PDB file of all heavy atoms in Angstrom:
ATOM      1  N   ALA Q 191     262.066 103.489-114.041  1.00 97.00           N
ATOM      2  CA  ALA Q 191     261.783 102.070-114.311  1.00 97.00           C
ATOM      3  C   ALA Q 191     260.386 101.697-113.818  1.00 97.00           C
ATOM      4  O   ALA Q 191     259.630 101.000-114.510  1.00 97.00           O
ATOM      5  CB  ALA Q 191     262.840 101.199-113.630  1.00 97.00           C
ATOM      6  N   VAL Q 192     260.040 102.169-112.632  1.00 97.00           N
ATOM      7  CA  VAL Q 192     258.710 101.876-112.094  1.00 97.00           C
ATOM      8  C   VAL Q 192     257.624 102.476-112.992  1.00 97.00           C
ATOM      9  O   VAL Q 192     256.632 101.818-113.322  1.00 97.00           O
ATOM     10  CB  VAL Q 192     258.584 102.408-110.650  1.00 97.00           C
ATOM     11  CG1 VAL Q 192     257.124 102.404-110.195  1.00 97.00           C
ATOM     12  CG2 VAL Q 192     259.440 101.582-109.701  1.00 97.00           C
ATOM     13  N   ASP Q 193     257.843 103.716-113.402  1.00 97.00           N
ATOM     14  CA  ASP Q 193     256.845 104.360-114.273  1.00 97.00           C
ATOM     15  C   ASP Q 193     256.687 103.596-115.585  1.00 97.00           C
ATOM     16  O   ASP Q 193     255.570 103.438-116.103  1.00 97.00           O
ATOM     17  CB  ASP Q 193     257.258 105.806-114.568  1.00 97.00           C
ATOM     18  CG  ASP Q 193     257.034 106.717-113.374  1.00 97.00           C
ATOM     19  OD1 ASP Q 193     256.337 106.280-112.418  1.00 97.00           O
ATOM     20  OD2 ASP Q 193     257.563 107.842-113.372  1.00 97.00           O
ATOM     21  N   GLN Q 194     257.808 103.138-116.134  1.00 97.00           N
ATOM     22  CA  GLN Q 194     257.718 102.411-117.401  1.00 97.00           C
ATOM     23  C   GLN Q 194     257.011 101.074-117.238  1.00 97.00           C
ATOM     24  O   GLN Q 194     256.165 100.699-118.055  1.00 97.00           O
ATOM     25  CB  GLN Q 194     259.129 102.206-117.969  1.00 97.00           C
ATOM     26  CG  GLN Q 194     259.718 103.501-118.518  1.00 97.00           C
ATOM     27  CD  GLN Q 194     261.114 103.301-119.061  1.00 97.00           C
ATOM     28  OE1 GLN Q 194     261.963 102.687-118.418  1.00 97.00           O
ATOM     29  NE2 GLN Q 194     261.365 103.822-120.247  1.00 97.00           N
ATOM     30  N   ILE Q 195     257.331 100.366-116.178  1.00 97.00           N
ATOM     31  CA  ILE Q 195     256.651  99.080-115.947  1.00 97.00           C
ATOM     32  C   ILE Q 195     255.147  99.302-115.802  1.00 97.00           C
ATOM     33  O   ILE Q 195     254.335  98.548-116.345  1.00 97.00           O
ATOM     34  CB  ILE Q 195     257.226  98.389-114.683  1.00 97.00           C
ATOM     35  CG1 ILE Q 195     258.687  97.980-114.914  1.00 97.00           C
ATOM     36  CG2 ILE Q 195     256.378  97.175-114.304  1.00 97.00           C
ATOM     37  CD1 ILE Q 195     258.897  96.886-115.934  1.00 97.00           C
ATOM     38  N   ARG Q 196     254.789 100.349-115.097  1.00 96.00           N
ATOM     39  CA  ARG Q 196     253.355 100.650-114.955  1.00 96.00           C
ATOM     40  C   ARG Q 196     252.721 100.919-116.318  1.00 96.00           C
ATOM     41  O   ARG Q 196     251.649 100.403-116.642  1.00 96.00           O
ATOM     42  CB  ARG Q 196     253.155 101.885-114.077  1.00 96.00           C
ATOM     43  CG  ARG Q 196     253.341 101.675-112.603  1.00 96.00           C
ATOM     44  CD  ARG Q 196     253.038 103.007-111.880  1.00 96.00           C
ATOM     45  NE  ARG Q 196     253.394 102.981-110.486  1.00 96.00           N
ATOM     46  CZ  ARG Q 196     252.622 102.457-109.529  1.00 96.00           C
ATOM     47  NH1 ARG Q 196     251.461 101.912-109.838  1.00 96.00           N
ATOM     48  NH2 ARG Q 196     253.014 102.481-108.269  1.00 96.00           N
ATOM     49  N   ALA Q 197     253.396 101.736-117.122  1.00 96.00           N
ATOM     50  CA  ALA Q 197     252.816 102.150-118.400  1.00 96.00           C
ATOM     51  C   ALA Q 197     252.706 100.996-119.393  1.00 96.00           C
ATOM     52  O   ALA Q 197     251.810 100.986-120.236  1.00 96.00           O
ATOM     53  CB  ALA Q 197     253.671 103.274-118.998  1.00 96.00           C
ATOM     54  N   TRP Q 198     253.620 100.035-119.300  1.00 96.00           N
ATOM     55  CA  TRP Q 198     253.629  98.922-120.251  1.00 96.00           C
ATOM     56  C   TRP Q 198     252.723  97.775-119.822  1.00 96.00           C
ATOM     57  O   TRP Q 198     252.599  96.784-120.539  1.00 96.00           O
ATOM     58  CB  TRP Q 198     255.063  98.377-120.404  1.00 96.00           C
ATOM     59  CG  TRP Q 198     256.018  99.357-121.011  1.00 96.00           C
ATOM     60  CD1 TRP Q 198     255.720 100.365-121.874  1.00 96.00           C
ATOM     61  CD2 TRP Q 198     257.428  99.414-120.783  1.00 96.00           C
ATOM     62  NE1 TRP Q 198     256.846 101.058-122.201  1.00 96.00           N
ATOM     63  CE2 TRP Q 198     257.927 100.498-121.558  1.00 96.00           C
ATOM     64  CE3 TRP Q 198     258.329  98.672-120.024  1.00 96.00           C
ATOM     65  CZ2 TRP Q 198     259.271 100.855-121.587  1.00 96.00           C
ATOM     66  CZ3 TRP Q 198     259.669  99.018-120.045  1.00 96.00           C
ATOM     67  CH2 TRP Q 198     260.133 100.098-120.821  1.00 96.00           C
ATOM     68  N   ASN Q 199     252.120  97.885-118.641  1.00 95.00           N
ATOM     69  CA  ASN Q 199     251.341  96.762-118.101  1.00 95.00           C
ATOM     70  C   ASN Q 199     250.008  97.250-117.541  1.00 95.00           C
ATOM     71  O   ASN Q 199     249.707  97.083-116.363  1.00 95.00           O
ATOM     72  CB  ASN Q 199     252.162  96.029-117.026  1.00 95.00           C
ATOM     73  CG  ASN Q 199     253.383  95.350-117.610  1.00 95.00           C
ATOM     74  OD1 ASN Q 199     253.266  94.265-118.187  1.00 95.00           O
ATOM     75  ND2 ASN Q 199     254.542  95.997-117.501  1.00 95.00           N
ATOM     76  N   LEU Q 200     249.226  97.823-118.428  1.00 92.00           N
ATOM     77  CA  LEU Q 200     247.938  98.360-117.982  1.00 92.00           C
ATOM     78  C   LEU Q 200     246.996  97.249-117.495  1.00 92.00           C
ATOM     79  O   LEU Q 200     246.077  97.509-116.727  1.00 92.00           O
ATOM     80  CB  LEU Q 200     247.276  99.146-119.128  1.00 92.00           C
ATOM     81  CG  LEU Q 200     248.056 100.380-119.611  1.00 92.00           C
ATOM     82  CD1 LEU Q 200     247.289 101.090-120.717  1.00 92.00           C
ATOM     83  CD2 LEU Q 200     248.341 101.333-118.458  1.00 92.00           C
ATOM     84  N   HIS Q 201     247.227  96.013-117.966  1.00 92.00           N
ATOM     85  CA  HIS Q 201     246.365  94.911-117.514  1.00 92.00           C
ATOM     86  C   HIS Q 201     246.530  94.671-116.017  1.00 92.00           C
ATOM     87  O   HIS Q 201     245.635  94.100-115.386  1.00 92.00           O
ATOM     88  CB  HIS Q 201     246.653  93.636-118.312  1.00 92.00           C
ATOM     89  CG  HIS Q 201     248.056  93.135-118.223  1.00 92.00           C
ATOM     90  ND1 HIS Q 201     249.121  93.803-118.787  1.00 92.00           N
ATOM     91  CD2 HIS Q 201     248.589  92.028-117.636  1.00 92.00           C
ATOM     92  CE1 HIS Q 201     250.251  93.120-118.566  1.00 92.00           C
ATOM     93  NE2 HIS Q 201     249.950  92.047-117.863  1.00 92.00           N
ATOM     94  N   ILE Q 202     247.649  95.104-115.467  1.00 93.00           N
ATOM     95  CA  ILE Q 202     247.859  94.963-114.016  1.00 93.00           C
ATOM     96  C   ILE Q 202     247.613  96.294-113.296  1.00 93.00           C
ATOM     97  O   ILE Q 202     246.933  96.332-112.274  1.00 93.00           O
ATOM     98  CB  ILE Q 202     249.309  94.498-113.730  1.00 93.00           C
ATOM     99  CG1 ILE Q 202     249.563  93.142-114.384  1.00 93.00           C
ATOM    100  CG2 ILE Q 202     249.571  94.437-112.222  1.00 93.00           C
ATOM    101  CD1 ILE Q 202     251.025  92.721-114.378  1.00 93.00           C
ATOM    102  N   PHE Q 203     248.134  97.371-113.878  1.00 91.00           N
ATOM    103  CA  PHE Q 203     248.178  98.637-113.133  1.00 91.00           C
ATOM    104  C   PHE Q 203     247.044  99.598-113.476  1.00 91.00           C
ATOM    105  O   PHE Q 203     246.968 100.684-112.920  1.00 91.00           O
ATOM    106  CB  PHE Q 203     249.538  99.297-113.330  1.00 91.00           C
ATOM    107  CG  PHE Q 203     250.660  98.437-112.830  1.00 91.00           C
ATOM    108  CD1 PHE Q 203     251.450  97.704-113.701  1.00 91.00           C
ATOM    109  CD2 PHE Q 203     250.878  98.304-111.461  1.00 91.00           C
ATOM    110  CE1 PHE Q 203     252.464  96.886-113.224  1.00 91.00           C
ATOM    111  CE2 PHE Q 203     251.895  97.486-110.978  1.00 91.00           C
ATOM    112  CZ  PHE Q 203     252.685  96.770-111.859  1.00 91.00           C
ATOM    113  N   ALA Q 204     246.150  99.207-114.398  1.00 85.00           N
ATOM    114  CA  ALA Q 204     244.986 100.056-114.686  1.00 85.00           C
ATOM    115  C   ALA Q 204     243.693  99.260-114.689  1.00 85.00           C
ATOM    116  O   ALA Q 204     242.691  99.678-114.129  1.00 85.00           O
ATOM    117  CB  ALA Q 204     245.162 100.758-116.035  1.00 85.00           C
ATOM    118  N   MET Q 205     243.729  98.083-115.311  1.00 81.00           N
ATOM    119  CA  MET Q 205     242.478  97.334-115.493  1.00 81.00           C
ATOM    120  C   MET Q 205     242.125  96.454-114.293  1.00 81.00           C
ATOM    121  O   MET Q 205     240.974  96.093-114.101  1.00 81.00           O
ATOM    122  CB  MET Q 205     242.595  96.448-116.746  1.00 81.00           C
ATOM    123  CG  MET Q 205     242.718  97.252-118.036  1.00 81.00           C
ATOM    124  SD  MET Q 205     243.277  96.242-119.439  1.00 81.00           S
ATOM    125  CE  MET Q 205     241.987  95.021-119.545  1.00 81.00           C
ATOM    126  N   ARG Q 206     243.105  96.059-113.510  1.00 84.00           N
ATOM    127  CA  ARG Q 206     242.844  95.093-112.442  1.00 84.00           C
ATOM    128  C   ARG Q 206     242.246  95.751-111.218  1.00 84.00           C
ATOM    129  O   ARG Q 206     242.564  96.891-110.896  1.00 84.00           O
ATOM    130  CB  ARG Q 206     244.143  94.382-112.065  1.00 84.00           C
ATOM    131  CG  ARG Q 206     243.974  93.363-110.947  1.00 84.00           C
ATOM    132  CD  ARG Q 206     245.212  92.533-110.777  1.00 84.00           C
ATOM    133  NE  ARG Q 206     245.444  91.690-111.941  1.00 84.00           N
ATOM    134  CZ  ARG Q 206     246.589  91.074-112.205  1.00 84.00           C
ATOM    135  NH1 ARG Q 206     247.596  91.206-111.379  1.00 84.00           N
ATOM    136  NH2 ARG Q 206     246.725  90.326-113.280  1.00 84.00           N
ATOM    137  N   LYS Q 207     241.391  95.013-110.535  1.00 75.00           N
ATOM    138  CA  LYS Q 207     240.861  95.467-109.255  1.00 75.00           C
ATOM    139  C   LYS Q 207     241.146  94.394-108.217  1.00 75.00           C
ATOM    140  O   LYS Q 207     240.711  93.260-108.412  1.00 75.00           O
ATOM    141  CB  LYS Q 207     239.371  95.747-109.383  1.00 75.00           C
ATOM    142  CG  LYS Q 207     239.125  96.966-110.268  1.00 75.00           C
ATOM    143  CD  LYS Q 207     237.682  97.170-110.544  1.00 75.00           C
ATOM    144  CE  LYS Q 207     237.531  98.380-111.491  1.00 75.00           C
ATOM    145  NZ  LYS Q 207     236.203  98.560-111.991  1.00 75.00           N
ATOM    146  N   PRO Q 208     241.864  94.689-107.134  1.00 79.00           N
ATOM    147  CA  PRO Q 208     242.434  95.987-106.827  1.00 79.00           C
ATOM    148  C   PRO Q 208     243.582  96.330-107.776  1.00 79.00           C
ATOM    149  O   PRO Q 208     244.396  95.474-108.115  1.00 79.00           O
ATOM    150  CB  PRO Q 208     242.943  95.838-105.390  1.00 79.00           C
ATOM    151  CG  PRO Q 208     243.139  94.386-105.209  1.00 79.00           C
ATOM    152  CD  PRO Q 208     242.134  93.703-106.060  1.00 79.00           C
ATOM    153  N   ARG Q 209     243.602  97.579-108.180  1.00 80.00           N
ATOM    154  CA  ARG Q 209     244.584  98.059-109.150  1.00 80.00           C
ATOM    155  C   ARG Q 209     246.005  97.858-108.629  1.00 80.00           C
ATOM    156  O   ARG Q 209     246.296  98.165-107.490  1.00 80.00           O
ATOM    157  CB  ARG Q 209     244.327  99.536-109.424  1.00 80.00           C
ATOM    158  CG  ARG Q 209     245.086 100.108-110.587  1.00 80.00           C
ATOM    159  CD  ARG Q 209     244.589 101.488-110.926  1.00 80.00           C
ATOM    160  NE  ARG Q 209     243.211 101.449-111.427  1.00 80.00           N
ATOM    161  CZ  ARG Q 209     242.509 102.550-111.727  1.00 80.00           C
ATOM    162  NH1 ARG Q 209     243.024 103.741-111.558  1.00 80.00           N
ATOM    163  NH2 ARG Q 209     241.275 102.439-112.186  1.00 80.00           N
ATOM    164  N   GLY Q 210     246.848  97.281-109.500  1.00 84.00           N
ATOM    165  CA  GLY Q 210     248.256  97.154-109.148  1.00 84.00           C
ATOM    166  C   GLY Q 210     248.606  95.911-108.352  1.00 84.00           C
ATOM    167  O   GLY Q 210     249.778  95.690-108.044  1.00 84.00           O
ATOM    168  N   LEU Q 211     247.627  95.057-108.018  1.00 90.00           N
ATOM    169  CA  LEU Q 211     247.935  93.817-107.308  1.00 90.00           C
ATOM    170  C   LEU Q 211     248.716  92.906-108.263  1.00 90.00           C
ATOM    171  O   LEU Q 211     248.175  92.446-109.259  1.00 90.00           O
ATOM    172  CB  LEU Q 211     246.639  93.119-106.872  1.00 90.00           C
ATOM    173  CG  LEU Q 211     246.802  91.715-106.294  1.00 90.00           C
ATOM    174  CD1 LEU Q 211     247.562  91.759-104.975  1.00 90.00           C
ATOM    175  CD2 LEU Q 211     245.446  91.040-106.114  1.00 90.00           C
ATOM    176  N   MET Q 212     249.987  92.706-107.962  1.00 94.00           N
ATOM    177  CA  MET Q 212     250.795  91.830-108.810  1.00 94.00           C
ATOM    178  C   MET Q 212     250.677  90.403-108.316  1.00 94.00           C
ATOM    179  O   MET Q 212     250.771  90.138-107.124  1.00 94.00           O
ATOM    180  CB  MET Q 212     252.267  92.263-108.778  1.00 94.00           C
ATOM    181  CG  MET Q 212     252.642  93.154-109.919  1.00 94.00           C
ATOM    182  SD  MET Q 212     254.423  93.321-110.198  1.00 94.00           S
ATOM    183  CE  MET Q 212     255.195  93.149-108.623  1.00 94.00           C
ATOM    184  N   LEU Q 213     250.487  89.487-109.247  1.00 95.00           N
ATOM    185  CA  LEU Q 213     250.323  88.084-108.910  1.00 95.00           C
ATOM    186  C   LEU Q 213     251.493  87.285-109.452  1.00 95.00           C
ATOM    187  O   LEU Q 213     252.093  87.650-110.476  1.00 95.00           O
ATOM    188  CB  LEU Q 213     249.014  87.547-109.514  1.00 95.00           C
ATOM    189  CG  LEU Q 213     247.748  88.295-109.115  1.00 95.00           C
ATOM    190  CD1 LEU Q 213     246.557  87.797-109.925  1.00 95.00           C
ATOM    191  CD2 LEU Q 213     247.488  88.105-107.623  1.00 95.00           C
ATOM    192  N   GLY Q 214     251.772  86.170-108.801  1.00 94.00           N
ATOM    193  CA  GLY Q 214     252.889  85.346-109.230  1.00 94.00           C
ATOM    194  C   GLY Q 214     252.770  84.838-110.646  1.00 94.00           C
ATOM    195  O   GLY Q 214     253.760  84.552-111.309  1.00 94.00           O
ATOM    196  N   SER Q 215     251.538  84.722-111.116  1.00 96.00           N
ATOM    197  CA  SER Q 215     251.324  84.181-112.464  1.00 96.00           C
ATOM    198  C   SER Q 215     251.355  85.253-113.540  1.00 96.00           C
ATOM    199  O   SER Q 215     251.197  84.939-114.730  1.00 96.00           O
ATOM    200  CB  SER Q 215     249.972  83.463-112.510  1.00 96.00           C
ATOM    201  OG  SER Q 215     248.913  84.376-112.263  1.00 96.00           O
ATOM    202  N   ASP Q 216     251.541  86.506-113.150  1.00 97.00           N
ATOM    203  CA  ASP Q 216     251.429  87.590-114.137  1.00 97.00           C
ATOM    204  C   ASP Q 216     252.527  87.567-115.187  1.00 97.00           C
ATOM    205  O   ASP Q 216     253.675  87.222-114.905  1.00 97.00           O
ATOM    206  CB  ASP Q 216     251.479  88.959-113.430  1.00 97.00           C
ATOM    207  CG  ASP Q 216     250.135  89.358-112.871  1.00 97.00           C
ATOM    208  OD1 ASP Q 216     249.102  88.884-113.387  1.00 97.00           O
ATOM    209  OD2 ASP Q 216     250.120  90.144-111.904  1.00 97.00           O
TER     210      ASP Q 216
END
Side-chain angles (χ1 to χ4, degrees):
Chain Q
V192 167
D193 285 347
Q194 287 179 313
I195 294 293
R196 284 182 190 278
W198 295 332
N199 294 280
L200 297 181
H201 59 291
I202 299 169
F203 299 102
M205 295 165 60
R206 179 170 294 165
K207 291 173 182 171
R209 191 170 294 176
L211 172 66
M212 264 196 329
L213 304 172
S215 63
D216 278 335

